[in-house]
């Protein structure tokens, strides 16, 4: 017989902001999946910004914004204007640490800047909350702050990406990850990438998928339109931040080959996303070099991308790596066929040949497979019907896993205070 917890379990969750993004959507899905009669949740958002802020459930206690944490990612000029010389000094020192490290290590550790910055800022940041919790969740990297600035009986760090493909300084990261009680991974592939670098973390892994708010997505898909995606075109769509990981710079060359292979002039590939101005410039240059101005279109950011997903003929994810792409799951939830590149976690993402296709990572191979799919409308329709009929939200399963973890904490006699 399962023991009854002495009180309703208390959970703390930390997140940077709630802009449009995979991890951000995953968080809103998790909050929507949890129930107030089962748990109490305090949500700490470093900077109270982003269109997803309004989708925080009313029962969740949104903690006040703390100016120190908001400034961890703000421009240095704003940090100085706010009089936080300690934060500015820590961030500048981290840049020096990083530059010294990179001079010795080379360019393959580009993401290590986050490790060095977090280590420096960790020394000057205040407590995130005055309360004590049963479970504290650091929902996105870096995980230093929840580890050291929240009081909780157990702590969990979340993996949202494939750590075999980005450069982190693991000697700096290992003590942080190893100090957590649980590590939530979206897939076995993501877990393996972490434990390859931190073997001692293996026993802490819990496979917990993103819970996605399917009903909210379907509702929002009907709240707007997608005027650029006209019915006289075959519309391919990609959604995600403009970054190296998404591989958008290769889209113009892929599209040029798809047009050549299909002989169709009605093909359009739209990309929704913003962020890196230099990377956007590189994509535009690639569009110009391939003559794909009419066929590849950057739409910028959209607060509501769901009408576009609902209207597209094919959703495409040409990424070099993904944790478990939320955008792909959103397309499946909205009943669209998908084409994704063969990144390491791809087979954990879709059932190849049923829900979509997994295409090679190289430009020519990807173009050939996508061209074959585009030329087969019956196959596309079958994939769309398959996706529309399946439940991709994982809401119940994910919520139950969180309940099981936090209930085991509240019913144990061992108190692991941090």
């Amino acid at each position: 017989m399962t023991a009854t917890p002495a009180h309703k379990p208390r959970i703390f969750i930390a997140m940077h902001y709630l802009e449009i993004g995979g991890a951000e959507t995953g968080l809103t899905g998790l909050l929507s999946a949890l129930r107030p009669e089962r748990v109490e949740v305090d949500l700490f958002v470093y900077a109270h910004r982003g269109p997803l802020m309004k989708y925080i459930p009313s029962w969740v206690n949104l903690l006040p914004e703390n100016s120190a944490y908001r400034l961890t990612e703000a421009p240095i000029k704003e940090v100085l204007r706010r009089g936080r010389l300690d934060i500015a000094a820590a961030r500048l020192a981290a840049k020096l640490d990083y530059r010294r490290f990179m001079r010795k290590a080379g360019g393959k550790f580009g993401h290590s800047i986050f490790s060095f910055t977090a280590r420096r800022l960790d020394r000057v940041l205040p407590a995130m909350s005055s309360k004590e919790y049963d479970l504290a969740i650091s929902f996105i990297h870096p995980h230093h702050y929840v580890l050291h600035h929240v009081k909780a009986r157990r702590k969990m760090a979340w993996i949202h990406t494939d750590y075999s493909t980005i450069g982190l300084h693991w000697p700096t990261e290992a003590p942080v990850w190893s100090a957590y009680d649980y590590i939530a991974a979206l897939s076995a592939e993501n877990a393996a990438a972490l434990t390859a670098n931190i073997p001692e973390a293996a026993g802490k892994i819990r496979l917990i998928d993103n819970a996605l708010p399917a009903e909210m997505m379907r509702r929002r898909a009907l709240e707007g339109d997608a005027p650029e995606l006209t019915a006289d075109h075959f519309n391919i769509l990609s959604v995600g931040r403009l970054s190296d990981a998404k591989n958008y710079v290769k889209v113009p060359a892929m599209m040029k080959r798809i047009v050549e292979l299909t002989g169709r002039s009605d093909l359009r590939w739209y990309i929704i996303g913003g962020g890196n101005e230099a990377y956007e410039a590189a994509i535009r240059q690639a569009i110009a070099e391939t003559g794909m101005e009419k066929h590849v279109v950057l739409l910028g950011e959209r607060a509501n991308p769901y009408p576009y997903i609902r209207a597209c003929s094919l959703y495409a994810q040409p990424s070099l790596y993904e944790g478990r792409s939320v955008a792909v799951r959103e397309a499946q939830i909205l009943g669209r066929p998908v084409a994704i590149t063969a990144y390491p976690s791809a087979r954990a993402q879709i059932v190849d040949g049923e829900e979509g296709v997994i295409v090679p990572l190289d430009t020519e191979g990807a173009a050939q497979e996508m061209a074959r799919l585009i030329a087969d409308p019956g196959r596309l329709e079958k994939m769309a019907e398959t996706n529309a009929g399946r439940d991709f939200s994982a809401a119940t399963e994910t919520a139950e896993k969180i309940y099981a973890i936090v209930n085991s904490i509240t019913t144990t006699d061992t108190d692991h205070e941090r």
Side-chain angles (χ1 to χ4, degrees):
M1 183 176 178
T2 303
T4 301
H7 61 82
K8 192 188 299 186
R10 294 184 292 267
I11 300 175
F12 173 96
I13 304 176
M15 186 62 174
H16 291 188
Y17 41 71
L18 286 176
E19 301 287 358
I20 299 294
E24 293 84 352
T25 301
L27 175 58
T28 58
L30 174 61
L31 295 173
S32 297
L34 296 174
R35 291 290 172 261
E37 62 270 18
R38 301 286 297 272
V39 291
E40 296 177 5
V41 175
D42 279 4
L43 176 64
F44 183 95
V45 181
Y46 296 11
H48 287 197
R49 72 171 197 263
L52 296 182
M53 287 291 296
K54 64 183 179 182
Y55 294 105
I56 298 171
S58 59
W59 65 271
V60 171
N61 179 33
L62 177 63
L63 296 173
E65 186 181 81
N66 185 301
S67 61
Y69 285 90
R70 181 169 55 80
L71 294 173
T72 59
E73 296 184 22
I76 290 291
K77 286 183 179 180
E78 181 182 347
V79 178
L80 293 172
R81 189 170 63 249
R82 298 281 182 177
R84 291 305 303 258
L85 300 181
D86 53 346
I87 293 177
R91 288 177 55 180
L92 291 171
K95 284 187 177 182
L96 291 175
D97 294 341
Y98 173 67
R99 287 172 183 169
R100 282 193 293 265
F101 167 73
M102 289 296 283
R103 277 199 294 268
K104 297 179 181 178
K108 62 180 179 178
F109 295 101
H111 283 77
S112 293
I113 182 64
F114 300 110
S115 304
F116 289 107
T117 301
R119 187 171 60 175
R120 287 283 186 173
L121 285 171
D122 205 23
R123 304 168 189 174
V124 301
L125 292 174
M128 291 176 142
S129 172
S130 61
K131 301 179 187 177
E132 182 176 356
Y133 301 89
D134 297 298
L135 178 65
I137 299 174
S138 177
F139 205 73
I140 200 164
H141 181 271
H143 297 302
H144 299 61
Y145 310 141
V146 169
L147 182 63
H148 298 131
H149 299 294
V150 181
K151 191 173 184 180
R153 298 172 70 183
R154 298 286 194 281
K155 296 184 179 180
M156 173 185 285
W158 216 283
I159 303 174
H160 290 280
T161 192
D162 180 355
Y163 283 114
S164 69
T165 56
I166 64 175
L168 286 179
H169 185 227
W170 291 108
T172 302
E173 288 286 324
V176 178
W177 289 91
S178 299
Y180 274 85
D181 301 286
Y182 309 103
I183 297 172
L186 300 180
S187 71
E189 292 80 6
N190 297 158
L194 179 75
T195 56
N197 293 287
I198 310 176
E200 60 270 28
K204 304 172 184 286
I205 298 291
R206 301 292 185 274
L207 294 181
I208 304 178
D209 203 351
N210 271 324
L212 299 182
E215 289 308 312
M216 180 270 282
M217 292 174 185
R218 295 188 185 104
R219 185 172 65 251
R220 293 187 70 200
L222 299 173
E223 291 175 352
D225 54 15
E228 297 89 350
L229 278 62
T230 58
D232 57 339
H233 292 142
F234 184 97
N235 300 301
I236 305 170
L237 178 70
S238 298
V239 180
R241 292 190 184 97
L242 303 185
S243 67
D244 291 336
K246 301 303 180 186
N247 203 29
Y248 293 148
V249 76
K250 298 294 186 182
V251 166
M254 286 184 200
M255 191 56 157
K256 183 176 182 179
R257 281 296 288 145
I258 293 170
V259 171
E260 291 170 350
L261 290 164
T262 60
R264 293 177 59 167
S265 61
D266 66 330
L267 304 181
R268 300 291 184 272
W269 193 326
Y270 295 97
I271 298 173
I272 290 178
N276 190 321
E277 293 182 2
Y279 193 72
E280 179 179 344
I283 299 170
R284 293 191 182 281
Q285 181 178 346
I287 291 172
E289 289 174 350
T290 54
M292 287 288 103
E293 290 89 348
K294 291 184 179 179
H295 295 279
V296 178
V297 182
L298 300 181
L299 293 176
E301 295 182 287
R302 292 290 186 273
N304 182 7
Y306 298 112
Y308 288 86
I309 297 174
R310 178 173 173 265
C312 74
S313 310
L314 174 67
Y315 183 85
Q317 195 75 32
S319 302
L320 296 174
Y321 61 87
E322 291 282 349
R324 201 168 205 180
S325 171
V326 168
V328 171
R329 293 265 297 284
E330 290 172 334
Q332 291 174 295
I333 286 170
L334 295 176
R336 305 318 305 141
V338 299
I340 66 175
T341 42
Y343 46 80
S345 61
R347 294 198 177 277
Q349 183 86 66
I350 71 167
V351 179
D352 190 22
E354 290 185 21
E355 301 165 352
V357 294
I358 299 174
V359 306
L361 272 166
D362 67 279
T363 300
E364 179 64 24
Q368 288 185 12
E369 289 299 318
M370 289 180 67
R372 289 190 190 100
L373 183 59
I374 291 167
D376 193 342
R379 191 178 180 206
L380 283 164
E381 184 176 355
K382 179 63 175 175
M383 289 174 176
E385 291 173 354
T386 297
N387 287 340
R390 292 182 176 174
D391 180 9
F392 296 99
S393 70
T396 300
E397 176 187 356
T398 296
E400 288 299 330
K401 288 183 177 182
I402 295 296
Y403 296 147
I405 290 171
V406 76
N407 286 337
S408 73
I409 297 168
T410 58
T411 56
T412 186
D413 293 329
T414 304
D415 188 358
H416 288 225
E417 291 189 352
R418 288 288 179 265

